[in-house]
């Protein structure tokens, strides 16, 4: 068994699901770079689209069950904090999806197996593959416990969505939305670190850093809220 085949077998073992339709799993693990040659190849993009919706339903159902008295707005904040690409990439790392990916040689050299964007997208594609190979109950059985662990690690509800809170505060203060700018990017493609600056009208800008642009924007927003005593 070659190295990638071994990684795919380990992934199935982690999932606890043996695929009846092997082509679904193969498609879910195939990056678009593989299809850039002369022969077209089915990549994970369509499954990613479906997996995003399946994951949203699984996590929304989980939240409604865990927080029976919560308002829709609080549920939405928790949902947004749990189904973003950074969390999906973390789950992908836990499952070993990176090692099982089918990538073009150039993408592999660029560190694609550890790229948070690729990992997050592939994770959603694998969710869709399980759903289509079996059913929603099977997908829920496999993935709900993984997201329950992430739910347990969430901080206070007020800290979950600093960008939305900053936007509301800035609009109420000066009727102008915050402006975000990427001011730095370091590290290799598979492990970048972004620095983002946020500016609110009439106030000095402040920056934040993270593994993705989205994460850095949240960090900058949280820093602005804390500095202005609105956190």
């Amino acid at each position: 068994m070659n190295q990638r085949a071994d990684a795919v077998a380990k992934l199935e073992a982690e999932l606890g699901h043996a695929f009846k339709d092997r082509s679904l799993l193969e498609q879910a693990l195939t990056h678009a770079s593989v299809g850039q040659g002369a022969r077209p190849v089915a990549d994970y993009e369509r499954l990613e689209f479906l997996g995003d919706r399946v994951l949203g339903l699984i996590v929304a159902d989980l939240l409604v069950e865990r927080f029976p008295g919560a308002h829709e707005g609080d549920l939405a904040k928790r949902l947004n904090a749990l189904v973003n690409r950074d969390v999906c990439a973390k789950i992908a790392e836990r499952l070993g999806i990176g090692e099982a990916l089918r990538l073009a040689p150039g993408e592999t050299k660029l560190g694609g197996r550890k790229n948070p964007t690729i990992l997050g997208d592939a994770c959603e594609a694998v969710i869709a593959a399980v759903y289509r190979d079996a059913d929603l109950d099977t997908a829920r059985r496999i993935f709900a416990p993984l997201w329950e662990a992430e739910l347990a690690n969430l901080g206070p509800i007020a800290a979950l969505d600093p960008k939305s809170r900053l936007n509301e505060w800035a609009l109420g203060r000066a009727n102008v939305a915050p402006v975000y700018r990427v001011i730095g990017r370091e590290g290799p493609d598979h492990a970048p670190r972004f620095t983002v600056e946020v500016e609110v009208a009439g106030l000095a800008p402040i920056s934040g850093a993270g593994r993705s642009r989205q994460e850095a924007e949240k960090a900058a927003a949280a820093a602005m809220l804390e500095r202005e005593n609105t956190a």
Side-chain angles (χ1 to χ4, degrees):
M1 183 178 289
N2 63 39
Q3 187 173 357
R4 180 175 172 266
D6 185 49
V8 173
K10 288 180 179 178
L11 172 60
E12 283 190 282
E14 286 289 332
L15 294 172
H17 177 73
F19 278 80
K20 298 185 292 291
D21 185 350
R22 307 295 303 175
S23 68
L24 277 171
L25 179 59
E26 190 68 9
Q27 181 180 352
L29 295 171
T30 300
H31 186 255
S33 61
V34 177
Q36 292 174 355
R39 186 179 62 170
V41 175
D43 61 48
Y44 62 53
E45 291 182 355
R46 286 172 56 86
L47 287 175
E48 174 204 344
F49 168 80
L50 177 59
D52 177 62
R53 277 72 186 170
V54 175
L55 174 61
L57 178 58
I58 290 171
V59 177
D61 188 49
L62 173 66
L63 292 172
V64 168
E65 181 180 327
R66 293 291 183 274
F67 302 98
H71 295 296
E72 183 273 340
D74 287 347
L75 293 173
K77 289 177 182 177
R78 288 188 171 96
L79 180 66
N80 291 335
L82 287 168
V83 299
N84 61 58
R85 186 164 289 166
D86 292 330
V87 174
C88 288
K90 188 187 302 184
I91 299 294
E93 289 177 352
R94 192 177 307 165
L95 292 172
I97 287 177
E99 291 78 9
L101 286 172
R102 185 182 176 200
L103 301 170
E107 193 66 49
T108 299
K109 289 180 181 178
L110 290 173
R113 297 187 189 282
K114 295 184 178 180
N115 184 307
T117 297
I118 293 176
L119 287 175
D121 293 346
C123 183
E124 291 179 338
V126 169
I127 292 170
V130 170
Y131 165 72
R132 297 201 71 185
D133 191 63
D135 50 34
L136 182 59
D137 285 342
T138 302
R140 182 185 287 112
R141 174 184 60 78
I142 293 170
F143 296 103
L146 295 171
W147 263 266
E148 281 182 340
E150 294 301 317
L151 175 60
N153 292 329
L154 282 184
I157 189 69
L160 294 183
D161 193 5
K163 286 185 65 179
S164 292
R165 288 166 49 227
L166 181 62
N167 190 63
E168 292 174 6
W169 180 76
L171 289 172
R173 178 180 178 275
N175 201 33
V176 179
V179 176
Y180 295 88
R181 289 183 293 271
V182 176
I183 60 173
R185 186 186 186 283
E186 301 175 336
D189 288 342
H190 69 272
R193 186 159 183 82
F194 292 84
T195 301
V196 170
E197 182 180 81
V198 62
E199 185 172 359
V200 172
L203 299 175
I206 193 168
S207 64
R211 295 192 311 166
S212 65
R213 178 171 179 167
Q214 181 186 51
E215 189 177 284
E217 288 178 350
K218 288 182 178 179
M224 175 70 79
L225 290 167
E226 182 175 2
R227 190 188 71 187
E228 300 301 321
N229 295 317
T230 67

